[in-house]
Amino acid sequence: MLEFPRWKYLAILVVLAVSVLYALPNVYQNDYAVQITANRGATLDGALRNRVDADLKAAGVAPKSVAVEGDSLMVRLLEPDAQTRAADALRGELGENYTVALNLASNVPDWLDRLGAKPMVLGLDLQGGVHFVLQVDQKAALDKRVDAYVEDVRVTLRDNRVRYTAVDRRPDHSIAVSLASDADPAKARELLAKAMPTLTLEGEGGRVLVQIPEAELAQIAGSAIEQNITTLRNRVNQLGVAEPIIQRQGSDRIVVQLPGVQDTAEAKRMIGATATLEYRAVIDGNAADAVASGRVPPEAKVFYRRDGRPELLSKRVIVTGDQMVAATSSVDQNGQPSVSVTLNNVGGDRMFDFTSANVGKPMAVVYTERVPQVTMVNGEEVRSFRVKEEVISVANINGVFGKNFQTTGLEKTEADDLAKLLRAGSLAAPMDFVEERIVGPSLGKENVERGVTAVLYAFLFTLVFFGVYYRMFGVITGIALMFNLLIVVAVMSLFGATMTLPGFAGLALSIGLSVDANVLINERIREELRAGVPPKAAITAGYEKAGGTILDANLTGIIAGVALYAFGTGPLKGFALTLIIGILASMFTAITVSRAITVLVYGRRKKLKSLAV
């Protein structure tokens, strides 16, 4: 008897409906767009929109629409050439008050977006994106670590009441310590050896030379690259980029590829930023008078607030962003933007000790950022960094606190960006963008068209062959194959999997494997008919006897796909993922869906004498 349970029909209809729903967003193509984001103090209003309209008209660019979407003014355009011309025109006219960047704007309806239905994520080769090569300043990493050792030497001697006259670093990365005349040199050496056992101590009398071994210097330079790679991965995760490629190139460079990212300004700001916070004590005295007279206390350094007022702060930093293990953007009790931070144990102890001894005294928060600069000298580019330091908050310490507290004085966007950077971790060494390449959406569009064409031809050739060779069962196979493609697209869209150019190859291969399963079923039915088995019984026997073989054959393909995904990188992962999803979908459509259709076609015929197979 040729039967098929009704609950399975219901399950197939549910899978079909869900697949159509989550594959539907891929029908809506993105618009080429120019994204305009306001910097500090600037606003997105009607005046800006009118100004943008006028600038575009002067440049001869006709936009599809100009409207505020979220936190940006989005200029939608019809073609990539217009996008480039519009961006060039607006960058020159809007100046530094606004960030102008290329982007792709979604056209997916709101009702689909609310259901979590989004277009399939495309890789760098299919939708464009950015390719960066960053140069790591290993010398800065060494300087940073040696400066930390210098501070550790000072703190160790100071905490143990060993007087000194100077602690200076030398060009060869050694540290020279000059002790006071009444200090105990033996005690000083013993304390330093205990506090820093990896360093070597030399010298006689009141002078101590602390040297860092060459092996450790090399390890510092090498680990700076690895820490920066880890930090970059964390920062890219904050951007929400799917399938990024971040890898080391040579001894001091890092390659970063971000598919789908056309807002290069945001990407560079998050990747290369070295913004952090420093907490410092406020030194007593009139800062304005000290600046005017040039007589700054030796333990102080002049910093400036955002409104230009000077502040005298201690040279010694209490804690920095390096010691923060968690940071979230929030609001304070007055509803103002803030960053809630959690320090590690060392930072928490330092903050607790400082606040315990300075209740009622002021403490300042300094926002520090390294801004890359490029200048032309004798026709050649010279890259450098400008350190930007601003006092964002000065407040009295009202009570003792340690690991957990809030930092205020930031604007909303600054608080959000700083929280992301602090969560991702600090860079071990500053980096400079030495190469920037944008894979345009037009090139990606061409790759998509070629990939779709390849899959379409593979599908059509298969459909024609099956229709001629297996007749009605060939048509059933074709319907199952279309369902297979629909499921693959829906699953990849639903789970945010990335489709790459090799992914199209995996999709074409999964179609072939699905065809293989249907060939096994159809040939098994033919064998049963040749053996004199009645048509309905032949269909039942064909599906049941071919099922085990199909499972074994596809299981080996899945194992190979899992191995490729686990040990492969970049394009191999895209190929493997598409292959695995395609194989699982093909097993469902070949064994279940095609059988359901076959039962609908032949199951109700009481006197079935032959099969078109």
Side-chain angles (χ1 to χ4, degrees):
M1 189 66 180
L2 190 59
E3 294 181 348
F4 196 77
R6 291 186 177 180
W7 69 268
K8 288 189 177 182
Y9 279 114
L10 179 61
I12 291 172
L13 289 175
V14 170
V15 172
L16 177 62
V18 172
S19 299
V20 170
L21 179 66
Y22 284 95
L24 187 59
N26 294 280
V27 175
Y28 299 92
Q29 297 295 315
N30 291 331
D31 283 332
Y32 302 105
V34 175
Q35 178 181 339
I36 302 171
T37 307
N39 295 330
R40 185 190 305 162
T43 57
L44 301 174
D45 52 16
L48 175 65
R49 179 176 174 179
N50 294 335
R51 182 180 172 186
V52 168
D53 283 330
D55 292 339
L56 292 175
K57 186 176 181 180
V61 177
K64 181 179 177 181
S65 66
V66 180
V68 176
E69 300 180 19
D71 297 330
S72 303
L73 181 69
M74 198 71 74
V75 180
R76 293 174 178 258
L77 301 138
L78 297 175
E79 55 186 18
D81 290 340
Q83 181 191 36
T84 303
R85 286 188 287 121
D88 292 341
L90 293 175
R91 283 194 185 104
E93 295 295 331
L94 297 181
E96 296 182 355
N97 291 330
Y98 298 91
T99 299
V100 179
L102 303 179
N103 211 333
L104 294 174
S106 175
N107 279 316
V108 177
D110 292 338
W111 67 272
L112 277 174
D113 193 54
R114 285 193 294 270
L115 292 173
K118 298 179 180 179
M120 186 164 41
V121 179
L122 301 180
L124 185 68
D125 50 358
L126 295 184
Q127 69 169 342
V130 293
H131 170 98
F132 295 129
V133 177
L134 299 103
Q135 180 88 34
V136 180
D137 189 350
Q138 292 178 314
K139 181 180 180 300
L142 287 173
D143 291 342
K144 183 178 179 181
R145 180 64 66 87
V146 174
D147 287 342
Y149 277 133
V150 170
E151 183 62 23
D152 288 343
V153 169
R154 291 185 180 134
V155 171
T156 300
L157 297 177
R158 188 185 303 120
D159 290 348
N160 290 277
R161 302 183 183 279
V162 178
R163 297 180 61 196
Y164 59 88
T165 58
V167 177
D168 301 311
R169 58 169 297 178
R170 293 184 172 182
D172 62 351
H173 303 302
S174 61
I175 303 168
V177 182
S178 298
L179 300 175
S181 58
D182 58 346
D184 184 353
K187 180 181 178 182
R189 292 187 179 89
E190 181 183 352
L191 290 171
L192 293 175
K194 184 177 180 181
M196 293 171 284
T198 60
L199 308 187
T200 59
L201 304 177
E202 298 177 358
E204 296 180 356
R207 295 188 61 84
V208 179
L209 186 65
V210 182
Q211 291 188 326
I212 305 173
E214 289 296 329
E216 183 164 350
L217 292 175
Q219 189 271 334
I220 292 171
S223 63
I225 297 281
E226 299 304 323
Q227 182 178 332
N228 279 14
I229 290 176
T230 302
T231 301
L232 284 176
R233 288 199 176 102
N234 293 334
R235 291 185 177 183
V236 168
N237 289 339
Q238 297 290 341
L239 283 173
V241 179
E243 297 295 330
I245 295 176
I246 303 172
Q247 58 190 17
R248 183 169 181 169
Q249 184 183 76
S251 61
D252 58 355
R253 290 190 174 186
I254 299 175
V255 175
V256 179
Q257 291 184 356
L258 306 178
V261 175
Q262 285 208 302
D263 187 357
T264 55
E266 171 66 12
K268 290 177 74 173
R269 187 162 56 245
M270 288 300 299
I271 289 173
T274 54
T276 188
L277 295 178
E278 294 179 348
Y279 295 83
R280 297 173 181 262
V282 178
I283 302 299
D284 293 335
N286 191 307
D289 291 344
V291 172
S293 64
R295 292 193 293 269
V296 178
E299 73 278 10
K301 180 181 177 182
V302 178
F303 291 84
Y304 290 89
R305 293 187 180 228
R306 287 181 170 173
D307 58 8
R309 288 182 296 160
E311 291 285 349
L312 291 177
L313 305 183
S314 172
K315 290 182 178 178
R316 183 181 179 187
V317 179
I318 305 167
V319 294
T320 69
D322 297 354
Q323 295 163 311
M324 296 180 188
V325 295
T328 56
S329 177
S330 59
V331 294
D332 60 13
Q333 63 270 21
N334 298 318
Q336 297 301 311
S338 67
V339 176
S340 298
V341 300
T342 301
L343 301 175
N344 59 19
N345 290 332
V346 175
D349 290 342
R350 286 188 179 181
M351 184 62 76
F352 179 82
D353 292 340
F354 180 82
T355 55
S356 298
N358 294 276
V359 173
K361 296 181 180 179
M363 180 175 67
V365 183
V366 180
Y367 179 84
T368 303
E369 182 179 11
R370 291 173 65 93
V371 182
Q373 291 181 317
V374 178
T375 56
M376 300 299 295
V377 178
N378 298 327
E380 295 183 358
E381 287 188 354
V382 177
R383 300 176 183 271
S384 60
F385 285 90
R386 174 174 58 87
V387 179
K388 181 180 178 182
E389 297 176 319
E390 292 180 323
V391 178
I392 62 174
S393 173
V394 176
N396 289 333
I397 301 171
N398 296 323
V400 178
F401 56 87
K403 295 177 65 174
N404 301 289
F405 54 91
Q406 279 187 329
T407 295
T408 58
L410 296 161
E411 294 183 359
K412 180 66 171 64
T413 54
E414 288 178 321
D416 292 340
D417 289 346
L418 184 60
K420 291 178 182 178
L421 289 173
L422 294 175
R423 281 199 302 270
S426 63
L427 295 172
M431 298 182 298
D432 190 15
F433 290 87
V434 295
E435 181 183 338
E436 176 183 339
R437 187 168 70 249
I438 299 176
V439 180
S442 57
L443 178 59
K445 183 179 180 181
E446 182 181 348
N447 288 336
V448 171
E449 291 173 351
R450 290 183 177 183
V452 170
T453 301
V455 173
L456 183 62
Y457 276 115
F459 179 79
L460 289 177
F461 289 154
T462 303
L463 199 62
V464 171
F465 172 79
F466 265 69
V468 173
Y469 195 73
Y470 290 115
R471 293 182 287 177
M472 177 55 71
F473 278 80
V475 174
I476 294 173
T477 298
I479 296 173
L481 285 179
M482 286 190 286
F483 199 175
N484 182 19
L485 283 175
L486 188 65
I487 291 175
V488 172
V489 172
V491 170
M492 295 191 71
S493 301
L494 179 60
F495 293 101
T498 301
M499 173 63 80
T500 60
L501 202 55
F504 276 114
L507 187 57
L509 181 57
S510 68
I511 291 175
L513 293 173
S514 180
V515 167
D516 183 56
N518 284 277
V519 167
L520 289 173
I521 293 171
N522 295 341
E523 290 298 328
R524 176 63 72 174
I525 293 173
R526 280 183 169 183
E527 289 179 5
E528 296 296 326
L529 292 174
R530 292 192 193 102
V533 178
K536 289 187 177 182
I539 293 174
T540 303
Y543 276 98
E544 290 178 352
K545 293 181 179 180
T549 305
I550 293 171
L551 181 62
D552 292 341
N554 284 288
L555 186 60
T556 57
I558 291 174
I559 292 172
V562 170
L564 282 174
Y565 187 83
F567 301 107
T569 57
L572 275 180
K573 281 183 176 289
F575 172 81
L577 187 62
T578 311
L579 179 63
I580 293 170
I581 295 173
I583 290 176
L584 293 174
S586 70
M587 290 174 63
F588 172 72
T589 55
I591 297 175
T592 305
V593 175
S594 66
R595 185 170 185 174
I597 298 173
T598 303
V599 172
L600 282 177
V601 174
Y602 294 106
R604 295 184 179 181
R605 300 186 186 182
K606 295 182 178 179
K607 296 182 180 179
L608 185 62
K609 297 182 179 179
S610 62
L611 294 175
V613 60

